[in-house]
Amino acid sequence: MVIKLKCWLIIATISVAFAANAQKYTLSGYLKDSLTNEFLIGAAVQIENTSIGSSSNAYGYYSITVNKGKVTLLVNYIGYEQKSLTIDVASNVTLDISLKEKMTSLKEVIVSSTKKDQKIISTDMSVEKISAKDIKQIPMVLGEADVIKSIQLLPGVSAPNEGSGGFNVRGGSADQNLILLDEAIVYNPSHLFGFFSVFNADALKDATIYKGGIPSKYGGRLSSVLDIRMREGNNKKFTATGGIGLLSSRLTLEAPIGKVHEDGANGSFLLSARRSYADVFLPLSSDTTINRNKLYFYDLNFRSNYRLSSKDRIFLSGYFGRDKIDVPNGFGNSWGNITSTLRWNHLFSPKLFMNVSAIYSNYDYAITFYPGNSFQWNSSLSNVNFKADFDYYAGEKHKIKFGIGSILYQFNPGNIKPFGANSTINPTNYKGKRAVENYAYLQDDYRISNRLTIMYGLRISQFAQMANDSIPVYENGKPVVYNPVINNYEKGTISSYKNYRKNELLNNSFGFEPRLSLNYQVNEVSSIKLGYNRMYQYIHLLSTATSPTPLDIYTPSSSFIKPQVADQIATGYFRNFKDNIFEFSVEAYYKWMQNQFDFIDGASPILNNSPETILLNGNARSYGLEFMVKKSEGRFTGWISYTLSKAERRTPGIDGGKGINNGAYYVTNYDKPHNIAVTGNYQISERWSFSANFIFQTGRPATYPESKYTFNGLSIPEYSERNAHRLPNYHRLDIAATLKGKQTKRWKSQWIFGIYNVYNRQNAANITFKETLTNNNSETGLGTGNNKAYKLTYFGLVPSISYEFKF
């Protein structure tokens, strides 16, 4: 009955929209880059002197409803020249529009007309978009342009550690971020243990991060969505771009597919490769402890598209990347991601756009231990995702989005096999797990009046684990029990095993996830927004680290590990100054989360196929203020962001235990009350430009020993409550300078010089405590009873130089 009612409501909404617009016509088409025909995502299309407007979707498609007669169409996109077109509308019009990229002018900027900024008129809340061009202008360690490091400069986003490949958003952990590359999930976005991300900026179009007010089409994570899109490739001519740096080199090729017409070929492709080469130089060392080591990463991006007809287009994209570390007589480590996405776009009418996708994602790793009995441990996580998304442009006041999808997960927690002929390790296979997640969503962007716009929607999700054979049953239903003798928790006792049919659905969970955003436009240059969203997360990362590592283990929700749930409310004020050259925003948010687990003391998730036996359930909350000032035009561009926030967790005890911190709130590992980021780029001349960024963050929380006692001649430390201390505050300054070479029609080049951490700040990544010895020898020295603190630092001052070319 409920399903039938929802269907009738949808039909009624669409019918009313048709009736209201029977005497009107539709303007629709694609927005593209004039040089490459790349689709432009999120470009603003507006009828001059009216509130009628829209924005292009993820494939550059737009559609607006207008009255009969002459209309003036204004098209705006960040980094591109505004375009104005006068059209005499007497019927439905299909119009593809090309925009020219803005060229930097060193002369005085004269503003001849103003435009409404998309950030002011859009209902999107807590959203930031950064282009590949912006990413490349930000100084990074060893000159490697990095999308993950770039978004860490935005308000509400912080890095868990220096050199971390993950990020935290508004008090959420790193695994609570949904990272998508052309719609495919990327589980570990890191190269070299997190020092660099897997995303090659040469292959990317842009990245959009949603911190709140998350659209209904997204789900599965609590804190944010990072939607990264690759470029389609140039469908007008063959081009090649590349770069040679201290760490890696890269090459990108793109070209048309088929015959090139005046407006380009029907298709195009892009192929981008990158590889580091530390392994090439290590063998040159005379030190045998160095020259036998291996250390490198590589990645490959591919994307192609082809227009089958005026209404049909197909896309195929993929990513393959891997890291390899090998230390003879020590250990070996290998990990990597594979993604592939096949999409079909179809236009049923100028008002109804469809995208159907089949997606595959895989993350796997292997670690080998060489000394003594050598063995190798392998683990993986993969999923197959089928989904269909629809955009229905109902009229000048409604834009409806709806869709369905299904994700099948395969968890392989690990298997151990002997390595080498002399190993006596017994092979061990840990039982894999499977799960399925289904979802449907509906969303409407409704312009109530010229000043008030509302986006409301609902996402319904369902998740279930799929049985293999049997599931353990614990005594009294308790996988974790408290032992008062040792004053700690331990694994519960398994009383029996319950058998299930293969693929039988277990622990069905349903999530109802409402979404709401309101935008009240105060005037032409300012607006007030309010947003609310509820999110469910059904898969969980088991890691004691503060950021993603190659040894991350995921597990599905079960009868003992409940789905994580988050509710967030946010409000903000947005204003533009000086003819939209400057943008200012301030947002306040409050987020509360349920079913947030933490590990019992001394627990390790590695080689543990019963994660419910090492977890305690709790809740979390976070709240804060975010400020941002941004300048997007002129010789000097950049932004300043400041975040004032608090992130706390509470893990009460069970079975008579006190829990963590006696059941009281304690700050999370990623709580950083003050976070300041300043980034800027200055065009000095036609050939020289200068960029810099400065970062300040409150030190990460830590747990230190506060006292000690002696037992049998050993000095035993007593630790404080969880996260009662902090590392020293983190700050650094990075600079870079770009020198363009002589430009010709066929060849363009530039040199990039950079310095990471200019004043050589020794920022602490970690602090450990060790007992000092009488003769500084760990084998023969005697303990003095004195503990000494040791600081681990990843980077001091790091210079870089790279050469880039395009032809």
Side-chain angles (χ1 to χ4, degrees), residues 530-730:
L530 176 69
Y532 165 78
N533 60 253
R534 165 168 280 203
M535 308 291 289
Y536 275 72
Q537 181 167 333
Y538 297 103
I539 69 171
H540 317 279
L541 175 65
L542 301 179
S543 176
T544 56
T546 57
S547 59
T549 72
L551 303 184
D552 288 343
I553 301 171
Y554 285 85
T555 191
S557 295
S558 66
S559 56
F560 298 107
I561 303 177
K562 302 299 182 182
Q564 300 179 60
V565 186
D567 293 270
Q568 180 182 190
I569 186 168
T571 184
Y573 175 70
F574 303 80
R575 180 178 173 85
N576 292 345
F577 296 92
K578 294 185 71 68
D579 297 320
N580 298 327
I581 294 176
F582 292 92
E583 297 178 4
F584 169 79
S585 65
V586 56
E587 294 189 44
Y589 68 89
Y590 186 87
K591 179 163 61 176
W592 58 103
M593 295 172 276
Q594 306 171 46
N595 302 327
Q596 301 297 288
F597 61 77
D598 211 333
F599 293 94
I600 63 176
D601 291 336
S604 174
I606 297 178
L607 297 180
N608 187 329
N609 202 29
S610 303
E612 65 272 11
T613 64
I614 58 174
L615 302 177
L616 292 177
N617 196 33
N619 54 61
R621 65 188 181 189
S622 62
Y623 45 91
L625 281 171
E626 299 171 359
F627 300 85
M628 187 172 184
V629 178
K630 185 176 183 180
K631 185 175 185 290
S632 302
E633 298 182 12
R635 296 175 66 175
F636 176 79
T637 58
W639 67 81
I640 301 173
S641 71
Y642 170 63
T643 305
L644 175 65
S645 63
K646 187 78 171 179
E648 299 176 307
R649 178 170 290 184
R650 187 171 70 89
T651 309
I654 60 171
D655 205 29
K658 295 182 179 180
I660 297 176
N661 197 23
N662 294 318
Y665 275 102
Y666 56 97
V667 296
T668 64
N669 293 332
Y670 29 87
D671 173 68
K672 297 180 179 180
H674 300 281
N675 190 348
I676 301 171
V678 182
T679 183
N681 183 75
Y682 184 70
Q683 190 74 32
I684 301 172
S685 66
E686 293 287 352
R687 297 186 62 191
W688 280 100
S689 63
F690 177 83
S691 58
N693 54 255
F694 173 78
I695 298 173
F696 175 90
Q697 295 178 351
T698 304
R700 179 173 60 83
T703 305
Y704 292 159
E706 292 186 327
S707 60
K708 64 182 178 180
Y709 63 90
T710 303
F711 179 76
N712 288 339
L714 298 176
S715 178
I716 310 298
E718 284 279 333
Y719 284 85
S720 68
E721 293 182 337
R722 186 76 61 94
N723 291 340
H725 303 275
R726 288 187 181 274
L727 298 179
N729 292 335
Y730 178 97

Side-chain angles (χ1 to χ4, degrees), residues 241-282:
T241 59
I244 302 172
L246 297 178
L247 176 70
S248 68
S249 290
R250 60 193 189 276
L251 179 65
T252 300
L253 306 175
E254 48 190 312
I257 298 176
K259 187 177 180 180
V260 179
H261 305 283
E262 183 178 350
D263 59 345
N266 286 337
S268 63
F269 77 88
L270 177 143
L271 182 65
S272 185
R274 178 176 60 164
R275 193 188 191 281
S276 67
Y277 31 65
D279 57 308
V280 176
F281 299 102
L282 290 177

Side-chain angles (χ1 to χ4, degrees), residues 46-49 70-74 84-87:
Q46 186 135 1
I47 301 301
E48 189 177 37
N49 298 325
K70 286 187 177 182
V71 296
T72 299
L73 191 67
L74 301 179
S84 176
L85 299 169
T86 300
I87 307 162

Side-chain angles (χ1 to χ4, degrees), residues 59-364:
Y59 296 90
Y61 184 76
Y62 76 95
S63 177
I64 56 176
T65 302
V66 298
N67 295 319
K68 181 179 179 180
K70 286 187 177 182
V71 296
T72 299
L73 191 67
L74 301 179
V75 186
N76 293 290
Y77 189 64
I78 295 176
Y80 285 75
E81 295 178 1
Q82 183 188 57
K83 195 160 191 175
S84 176
L85 299 169
T86 300
I87 307 162
D88 192 355
V89 179
S91 62
N92 290 338
V93 177
T94 299
L95 180 65
D96 293 345
I97 303 173
S98 297
L99 299 183
K100 292 182 179 180
E101 188 174 1
K102 279 185 180 178
M103 303 303 293
T104 303
S105 175
L106 298 180
K107 299 178 181 179
E108 180 182 1
V109 177
I110 300 175
V111 180
S112 57
S113 62
T114 62
K115 64 179 180 62
K116 292 183 179 180
D117 189 274
Q118 186 69 5
K119 208 166 187 177
I120 300 297
I121 64 176
S122 171
T123 55
D124 288 340
M125 180 88 185
S126 307
V127 178
E128 299 292 344
K129 186 173 184 177
I130 186 168
S131 68
K133 182 179 179 181
D134 293 333
I135 294 169
K136 291 181 178 181
Q137 289 178 343
I138 298 173
M140 294 295 167
V141 62
L142 290 173
E144 289 291 313
D146 195 320
V147 61
I148 299 294
K149 301 296 188 297
S150 298
I151 66 169
Q152 291 172 357
L153 300 171
L154 298 172
V157 185
S158 62
N161 283 315
E162 182 172 41
S164 169
F167 56 97
N168 303 117
V169 177
R170 291 185 170 177
S173 59
D175 72 302
Q176 292 175 350
N177 304 309
L178 178 63
I179 302 175
L180 301 173
L181 179 62
D182 273 7
E183 302 181 6
I185 300 173
V186 178
Y187 290 99
N188 190 324
S190 304
H191 281 313
L192 295 182
F193 296 106
F195 291 119
F196 308 97
S197 81
V198 300
F199 305 111
N200 181 358
D202 285 352
L204 304 184
K205 178 182 295 182
D206 57 36
T208 304
I209 183 167
Y210 299 86
K211 301 174 292 181
I214 298 175
S216 301
K217 68 181 293 185
Y218 298 112
R221 299 295 188 274
L222 297 191
S223 292
S224 77
V225 177
L226 178 59
D227 190 0
I228 302 173
R229 298 280 173 163
M230 286 195 286
R231 297 193 293 113
E232 288 87 15
N234 194 321
N235 77 343
K236 291 187 174 182
K237 62 179 181 179
F238 169 82
T239 63
T241 59
I244 302 172
L246 297 178
L247 176 70
S248 68
S249 290
R250 60 193 189 276
L251 179 65
T252 300
L253 306 175
E254 48 190 312
I257 298 176
K259 187 177 180 180
V260 179
H261 305 283
E262 183 178 350
D263 59 345
N266 286 337
S268 63
F269 77 88
L270 177 143
L271 182 65
S272 185
R274 178 176 60 164
R275 193 188 191 281
S276 67
Y277 31 65
D279 57 308
V280 176
F281 299 102
L282 290 177
L284 302 178
S285 173
S286 59
D287 189 339
T288 56
T289 62
I290 296 177
N291 60 27
R292 296 171 58 196
N293 296 340
K294 293 181 180 179
L295 175 63
Y296 64 89
F297 69 81
Y298 61 87
D299 45 46
L300 179 69
N301 294 78
F302 170 77
R303 180 163 181 172
S304 64
N305 73 93
Y306 194 81
R307 185 177 60 204
L308 300 174
S309 69
S310 60
K311 294 185 177 181
D312 296 276
R313 186 182 293 269
I314 56 173
F315 298 80
L316 177 63
S317 60
Y319 169 84
F320 178 76
R322 196 145 202 93
D323 282 69
K324 180 73 173 179
I325 298 174
D326 193 77
V327 182
N329 299 322
F331 72 97
N333 199 188
S334 174
W335 70 92
N337 295 276
I338 300 174
T339 73
S340 61
T341 306
L342 176 63
R343 283 161 293 185
W344 169 40
N345 287 175
H346 177 69
L347 278 175
F348 288 99
S349 72
K351 291 180 177 290
L352 184 58
F353 179 94
M354 178 191 73
N355 176 68
V356 176
S357 303
I359 307 164
Y360 172 76
S361 297
N362 180 82
Y363 171 68
D364 70 276

